[in-house]
Amino acid sequence: MTKLALPPLALYVHIPWCVRKCPYCDFNSHAGGNEIPEQEYLTKLLDDLTLERQYAYGRKISSIFFGGGTPSLFTAKTIGTIIEQAERMIGFDDAIEITLEANPGTAEQAKFADFFRAGVNRLSIGIQSFQPEHLIKLGRIHNDTDAQRAIEMAKQAGFTRLNLDLMHGLSGQTVEQALRDIDMAASFEPDHLSWYQLTIEANTEFYSRPPQLPEEDCLADIQEFGLARLQEHGYQQYEISAYAKSPSSRSKHNLNYWQFGDYLAIGAGAHGKITHTEQNTIERYWKTRLPADYLKKDSLLGFTANQKIVSKDELPLEFFMNSLRLVEGVDVSLYQDRTGLDFNKLNLTAPINKGLIEIVDRSGIETIKPTDLGLKYLNNTLDYFL
């Protein structure tokens, strides 16, 4: 391996509580009940951040993402305190992107303006669908009116960076209904859409009681016509499930993941990745998962449940399972910069011959990218990097 270079640095903050656990959700989220221990959790988050800052290695934070759970259940004061302390302890890039996930519930909507004033400059709203019957089947606690009102409230609060999450391939969903959701979302002119297919994950209610999903032919039609409709509305696909109005509208935080950047992680169950240049190693780590256990942690002993140094043999898969999600792929030179490995030693003959990946010249820069077929069957493509 050659000497690793330090990539950009992001920060992920996990807020693990929801009003109610959705039946399709396999994230580390928990029904909050009547009272969420917000202040106690904030104290632990700041203790966690104090320990994490040693891994900044002189870098400033380029993006922050508050994920969950439902981060918008917390007050703007708490979110603002985390932002302020992150800037004080580590520092921010001038063009930092700070995203907060929010649900369209009325209680969360009332806080949008306060979140904006607290320093959040990008909001990601979990709409999923604008159709009442599908929201009920998904176990969502909002209705279609709540969804539309939440988007308007976000815009009135000052958010120009706005992502809407939409799901397709829902139980009983037709092509026309999927397209109607896209049309409704686009009518509000958000600069970013996340449009992804419902999948049944282990350890979810849907896994125990699977819903009847559309047939394969219907799913294929939804995908084909949905992509075309998104393009008609001016959204360009740049990742498997991410669509932006312009390159500047792309999610900086997620791009850092997909380009194998580093990210600090605080909060129950949060996952992080750090490049250690002195040891010339890449480490993945994750925090104590259950909120009750996280709250009991002694800050002197830390919050990390486990960590793993990514081996040299594992690095190709680790890199490409992220970068090949990008429609445009990545510069070949990035592979060596982020892994320390020689790109020319990869044997790519088989996936190239199968029509899954290609090496292209993009304005004089050698780029590796998935083909349309490779993007569609990404898991099969990644098998070649095992």
Side-chain angles (χ1 to χ4, degrees):
M1 289 177 62
T2 59
K3 186 70 173 176
L4 290 167
L6 279 176
L9 181 70
L11 170 65
Y12 176 73
V13 184
H14 193 71
I15 312 293
W17 290 283
C18 292
V19 173
R20 185 173 69 197
K21 180 85 170 178
C22 294
Y24 57 83
C25 177
D26 70 334
F27 293 118
N28 182 32
S29 59
H30 309 266
N34 293 328
E35 289 197 17
I36 295 173
E38 182 171 337
Q39 288 306 308
E40 294 89 337
Y41 194 69
L42 171 61
T43 298
K44 295 297 182 180
L45 284 175
L46 297 181
D47 288 343
D48 201 352
L49 182 61
T50 300
L51 296 172
E52 285 285 293
R53 64 180 175 179
Q54 65 183 302
Y55 302 119
Y57 296 138
R59 293 169 291 181
K60 293 183 177 180
I61 299 172
S62 61
S63 66
I64 302 176
F65 195 98
F66 290 89
T70 307
S72 53
L73 291 178
F74 274 23
T75 62
K77 182 179 179 181
T78 292
I79 298 300
T81 297
I82 297 167
I83 293 170
E84 289 169 6
Q85 292 303 308
E87 183 173 26
R88 182 185 68 80
M89 292 185 199
I90 302 172
F92 289 171
D93 282 348
D94 291 339
I96 188 170
E97 171 192 277
I98 303 177
T99 303
L100 182 132
E101 288 184 332
N103 275 346
T106 303
E108 288 98 321
Q109 293 175 31
K111 302 175 186 176
F112 287 174
D114 291 335
F115 287 137
F116 186 76
R117 285 191 289 268
V120 177
N121 56 26
R122 184 174 183 270
L123 204 63
S124 180
I125 305 179
I127 302 295
Q128 313 314 349
S129 176
F130 289 96
Q131 295 162 63
E133 66 269 31
H134 291 140
L135 291 171
I136 291 170
K137 290 178 182 178
L138 288 171
R140 303 295 288 175
I141 61 173
H142 68 273
N143 58 36
D144 55 320
T145 302
D146 293 332
Q148 296 178 52
R149 187 185 299 119
I151 300 168
E152 291 291 0
M153 289 286 286
K155 296 174 73 173
Q156 290 172 19
F159 286 100
T160 56
R161 299 289 314 280
L162 185 61
N163 171 66
L164 304 182
D165 274 348
L166 291 179
M167 232 181 236
H168 64 87
L170 308 178
S171 177
Q173 188 180 49
T174 64
V175 174
E176 291 73 22
Q177 288 173 325
L179 296 180
R180 203 177 307 148
D181 276 345
I182 291 173
D183 290 340
M184 178 61 76
S187 71
F188 292 97
E189 300 184 330
D191 69 327
H192 194 283
L193 290 175
S194 297
W195 188 64
Y196 53 95
Q197 184 175 321
L198 171 63
T199 55
I200 307 302
E201 305 288 352
N203 303 314
T204 65
E205 186 180 332
F206 274 178
Y207 188 78
S208 303
R209 298 184 298 104
Q212 183 64 48
L213 300 182
E215 298 291 336
E216 286 297 324
D217 286 349
C218 180
L219 290 173
D221 287 344
I222 289 175
Q223 185 73 22
E224 178 183 352
F225 292 111
L227 285 172
R229 186 62 59 88
L230 285 160
Q231 289 179 357
E232 288 173 17
H233 287 298
Y235 293 95
Q236 295 301 313
Q237 184 183 24
Y238 69 99
E239 188 266 346
I240 287 177
S241 58
Y243 303 79
K245 280 281 191 179
S246 68
S248 63
S249 298
R250 296 174 179 181
S251 169
K252 181 183 291 188
H253 190 85
N254 287 339
L255 279 171
N256 188 57
Y257 289 151
W258 298 324
Q259 294 172 346
F260 214 50
D262 280 356
Y263 42 98
L264 305 174
I266 61 173
H271 285 238
K273 170 189 171 285
I274 291 296
T275 301
H276 302 289
T277 54
E278 285 193 12
Q279 297 86 0
N280 214 42
T281 58
I282 293 171
E283 176 188 353
R284 290 198 180 277
Y285 61 95
W286 49 99
K287 301 300 174 68
T288 297
R289 184 176 185 275
L290 294 177
D293 293 338
Y294 183 86
L295 287 168
K296 293 175 186 175
K297 284 291 183 180
D298 184 334
S299 59
L300 295 176
L301 300 176
F303 300 85
T304 299
N306 214 334
Q307 64 273 331
K308 178 185 186 301
I309 298 298
V310 183
S311 72
K312 181 179 177 180
D313 291 339
E314 294 170 318
L315 279 170
L317 177 62
E318 287 273 342
F319 180 86
F320 287 112
M321 72 187 297
N322 290 282
S323 63
L324 288 181
R325 294 180 64 89
L326 293 168
V327 173
E328 296 174 356
V330 293
D331 298 351
V332 164
S333 61
L334 195 69
Y335 176 75
Q336 182 164 317
D337 289 344
R338 301 284 159 90
T339 68
L341 302 177
D342 186 349
F343 182 82
N344 294 316
K345 292 185 178 179
L346 287 171
N347 185 357
L348 302 177
T349 303
I352 289 175
N353 289 343
K354 293 285 186 179
L356 299 172
I357 62 172
E358 56 185 343
I359 310 296
V360 299
D361 185 299
R362 195 184 303 279
S363 302
I365 299 173
E366 192 177 21
T367 302
I368 179 170
K369 65 182 293 292
T371 62
D372 289 344
L373 185 67
L375 204 63
K376 184 177 181 181
Y377 298 104
L378 183 59
N379 287 340
N380 300 86
T381 304
L382 294 174
D383 285 343
Y384 291 97
F385 296 96
L386 290 172

